[in-house]
Amino acid sequence: MENAGTWDRKSVISELNQGRDLAYELKRQIYPSTTSREACEFLLGKIFSSYDNALALLNCMDILEMGRSPISERKARWSEQVLLCSGTGQIDDVYNWRKYGQKDILGANHPRSYYRCTHRNTQGCLATKQVKRTDEDPSIFEVVYRGNHSCVQERQKRNKENVNTQTKAENEGQILEVAHEKVETRLFSEPRDFIPFMSPSTSESYLSPSPCQVNDFVIGNDLQSFKTDFTETISNPTSVANFSFEDLDILIDHVDFDSYFLDVADYF
DNA sequence: TCTATTTGACCGTT
DNA sequence: AACGGTCAAATAGA
């Protein structure tokens, strides 16, 4: 077991280092932007691949650890992010949602709608979101995201296969503000009986449900500065005109990476 | 026929 | 008991 753990750790570190190096190379080539678009897309594909592989490895170790832990210790970090957006409320956020409820809320002028990930049953994805018109301005929606997606959606896969060629939905809403984000620890009473599996055609990972997770784990100065950019974007009430959910997709990927790494830090 | 939405009922928490 | 979140049967629509 020790040997397996050592091998896993080296693999993870190697994948993450490669992803970091590629990201810096891309950054170097973009500024100034004299590099061809094809070269950038190639690098992005390699970066996504490295992070996918690292996540898959970490998730496997996480599940192994969960299997060894008593139920009373099966805790997971749970993230919540609140966005304010204009438009129809049906903003284009990459993921597919299925409405499962609507409630009138005490003291609120408009009901709150409840959505869960379409892939809850097929992939065990536990991400949910709530949407409600604000009392102050009914044209502005408060969107609360809970948990992170463990599923891989078709659009997400297309994004990774064809970076920079995404098309935006006609009715995409504009995100006005990231109101706040918080993290809490919740106890999961259900056993994790999902296992990770690999796409037969690619190395892309389909991860088990792992509702999670943001933390402050730091890996070196370089990554810290990289993370700081994102943290500043999401933790302060910030005007984010031009911010799109394509950006959020990347943001979520990054948050996933961090939290998984904290798990593996505990593991070791 | 299949999938998504609607909506009243139900349940856990406070 | 009130409230918020979820369930599930009924309904809509492609």
Side-chain angles (χ1 to χ4, degrees), chain A residues 53-222:
Chain A
N53 290 339
L55 286 171
L57 287 167
L58 291 171
N59 194 58
C60 287
M61 286 182 276
D62 185 39
I63 289 172
L64 287 173
E65 177 61 24
M66 285 298 242
R68 286 195 291 269
S69 302
I71 292 176
S72 61
E73 295 178 2
R74 290 181 185 180
K75 295 179 180 179
R77 281 164 293 278
W78 190 266
S79 68
E80 177 178 300
Q81 187 174 52
V82 181
L83 305 179
L84 298 180
C85 67
S86 62
T88 64
Q90 301 299 311
I91 52 182
D92 176 28
D93 60 0
V94 178
Y95 298 102
N96 296 319
W97 301 95
R98 179 166 181 163
K99 187 175 182 178
Y100 66 89
Q102 179 173 308
K103 287 286 290 186
D104 290 323
I105 302 302
L106 186 70
N109 298 332
H110 304 94
R112 174 180 294 149
S113 295
Y114 300 87
Y115 298 83
R116 65 167 59 104
C117 178
T118 302
H119 303 293
R120 186 187 185 87
N121 295 329
T122 56
Q123 296 185 40
C125 181
L126 299 179
T128 65
K129 76 170 180 179
Q130 301 174 359
V131 178
K132 189 179 83 66
R133 291 179 187 271
T134 60
D135 293 338
E136 297 75 18
D137 186 349
S139 67
I140 297 177
F141 292 80
E142 178 187 276
V143 185
V144 180
Y145 290 87
R146 290 200 168 117
N148 288 341
H149 287 267
S150 59
C151 63
V152 174
Q153 310 224 353
E154 287 307 311
R155 283 196 50 193
Q156 201 174 7
K157 281 196 278 188
R158 286 205 306 273
N159 286 346
K160 293 182 179 182
E161 290 165 1
N162 195 15
V163 178
N164 290 339
T165 60
Q166 311 95 324
T167 57
K168 292 180 180 295
E170 294 293 332
N171 63 344
E172 179 176 1
Q174 181 185 19
I175 301 173
L176 304 174
E177 181 177 301
V178 179
H180 76 265
E181 180 180 41
K182 70 175 183 181
V183 184
E184 59 185 290
T185 299
R186 291 189 176 185
L187 176 66
F188 281 81
S189 57
E190 298 178 12
R192 292 187 172 193
D193 51 0
F194 296 92
I195 59 174
F197 57 94
M198 307 296 285
S199 166
S201 58
T202 72
S203 62
E204 192 164 54
S205 311
Y206 291 75
L207 304 178
S208 72
S210 182
C212 41
Q213 9 177 314
V214 178
N215 58 69
D216 293 318
F217 194 77
V218 177
I219 311 170
N221 293 332
D222 293 342

Side-chain angles (χ1 to χ4, degrees), chain A residues 219-230:
Chain A
I219 311 170
N221 293 332
D222 293 342
L223 185 58
Q224 170 62 20
S225 61
F226 177 50
K227 176 181 176 174
T228 300
D229 293 339
F230 280 107

